[in-house]
């Protein structure tokens, strides 16, 4: 521990330091590599930041206004890639390009859930499926739309050019 000013007669690299606590302003030109022993409190301006850590990286964004934001952007688009361990490419991407917003899955179906049940699933070739409590009710296919369960229509229904094949039962008129 130092109680006064420290002068370094040369270059101090990250590899020279095992534990850094910075309270205040940190400015770096490029390529800041952060290991397990660095904590920065205050304003940080970084060109590139690489965090090397085993386990979880927790980002807590606190604001006096009650709103916090994790901003990711580039000159053309901003995106966040989520990868499974040792993956060469992203598994899921959140992206915006100034015109459109995208959520894409590179490897698996993309499922949207609420309260533990999937409501929308995008499968192979982006084929959407609408579900109720994880059970498919409406599915798009290369041929059109498939309704794998009963179709319950309340109210008046007009059908133009209807062809009926097979056994049909009508009641009343």
């Amino acid at each position: 521990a130092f109680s006064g000013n420290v002068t370094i007669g040369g270059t101090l690299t990250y590899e020279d330091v095992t534990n850094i606590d910075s309270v205040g302003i940190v400015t770096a030109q490029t390529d800041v590599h952060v290991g397990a022993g660095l904590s920065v409190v205050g304003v940080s301006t970084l060109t590139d930041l690489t965090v090397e850590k085993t386990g979880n990286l927790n980002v807590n964004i606190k604001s006096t206004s009650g709103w916090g934001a994790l901003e990711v952007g580039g000159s053309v688009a901003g995106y966040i890639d989520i990868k499974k361990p040792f993956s060469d490419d992203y598994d899921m991407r959140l992206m915006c390009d100034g015109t459109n917003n995208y959520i894409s899955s590179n490897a698996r179906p993309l499922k949207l859930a609420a309260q533990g049940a999937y409501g929308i699933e995008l499968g192979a070739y982006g084929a959407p499926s609408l579900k109720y409590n994880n059970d498919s009710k409406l599915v798009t296919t290369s041929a059109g739309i498939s309704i794998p369960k009963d179709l319950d229509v309340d109210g008046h229904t007009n059908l133009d050019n209807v062809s009926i094949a097979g056994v049909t039962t009508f009641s009343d008129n």
Side-chain angles (χ1 to χ4, degrees), residues 17 19-27 37-45:
V17 181
N19 227 344
I20 300 173
D21 287 324
S22 173
V23 179
I25 298 175
V26 176
T27 303
L38 176 72
S39 68
V40 177
V41 178
V43 178
S44 301
T45 305

Side-chain angles (χ1 to χ4, degrees), residues 92-106:
M92 190 175 90
R93 175 175 284 173
L94 305 173
M95 186 177 102
C96 64
D97 62 9
T99 303
N100 295 297
N101 298 315
Y102 306 91
I103 300 174
S104 58
S105 175
N106 202 25

Side-chain angles (χ1 to χ4, degrees), residues 72-105:
V72 179
S75 62
V76 177
Y79 63 90
I80 298 172
D81 283 349
I82 300 172
K83 302 177 180 185
K84 65 181 174 277
F86 310 109
S87 177
D88 291 334
D89 203 357
Y90 71 91
D91 292 296
M92 190 175 90
R93 175 175 284 173
L94 305 173
M95 186 177 102
C96 64
D97 62 9
T99 303
N100 295 297
N101 298 315
Y102 306 91
I103 300 174
S104 58
S105 175

Side-chain angles (χ1 to χ4, degrees), residues 124-130 137-148:
Y125 308 107
S129 172
L130 297 178
K137 302 299 180 183
L138 181 70
V139 179
T140 62
T141 66
S142 61
I145 296 175
S146 170
I147 302 171

